[in-house]
Amino acid sequence: MPIDPTLAYDHSNIFARILRGEIPAKKVYEDDFALAFHDIAPQAPVHVLVIPKGAYVSWDDFSAHAPAEEIAGFIRAVGHVAREQGLVAPGYRLLANVGMDGGQEVPHLHVHLFGGKPLGRMIAA
């Protein structure tokens, strides 16, 4: 069920639990700012989630409250994962769902990184 991005951060959400090591994840990258891991229900041959280590509900929350170093570190981590997964030359898609209308289901900022095949149109006309 989609969530309201204006809600307070829920420290019991699945991504917070993964960050604390309470739930296993198939990690592909980790640094001081971000964690990247394979999605458990992939929608493309490559489907990796990249999450900031800080407690942010959405892009709005992150852009308004994270320090510049954390924002830069997270964005660099997304790029690093795309390169590491071999997606830059053929191309890939980044998707971040925000709020109820955007279909956000986990109240922790996350970016889906899709690739490994032609992905078609982003939104059907």
Side-chain angles (χ1 to χ4, degrees), residues 6 15 21 31 41 57 68 75 78 86 91 97 106 108-109:
T6 63
F15 294 160
D31 65 16
V57 175
I75 292 171
V78 172
N97 300 316
V106 178
H108 185 109
L109 171 61

Side-chain angles (χ1 to χ4, degrees), residues 33 56 62-76:
F33 303 105
Y56 303 102
F62 186 62
S63 66
H65 300 109
E69 179 183 53
E70 194 170 0
I71 292 170
F74 177 67
I75 292 171
R76 285 188 178 109

Side-chain angles (χ1 to χ4, degrees), residues 60-122:
D60 180 66
D61 182 20
F62 186 62
S63 66
H65 300 109
E69 179 183 53
E70 194 170 0
I71 292 170
F74 177 67
I75 292 171
R76 285 188 178 109
V78 172
H80 177 87
V81 172
R83 288 187 298 277
E84 192 174 72
Q85 294 293 310
L87 300 175
V88 173
Y92 60 97
R93 177 172 296 151
L94 296 176
L95 173 71
N97 300 316
V98 177
M100 295 176 69
D101 282 358
Q104 184 179 7
E105 294 179 358
V106 178
H108 185 109
L109 171 61
H110 56 286
V111 172
H112 296 260
L113 195 152
F114 301 101
K117 71 174 188 176
L119 298 170
R121 291 180 56 100
M122 185 170 59

Side-chain angles (χ1 to χ4, degrees), residues 15 18 24-29 35-50 81 84-85 87 111-113:
F15 294 160
I18 288 171
K26 189 175 174 188
K27 296 178 184 179
V28 298
Y29 179 76
L35 173 66
F37 51 92
H38 290 283
D39 192 287
I40 61 169
Q43 304 296 306
V46 176
H47 185 175
V48 173
L49 298 172
V50 185
V81 172
E84 192 174 72
Q85 294 293 310
L87 300 175
V111 172
H112 296 260
L113 195 152

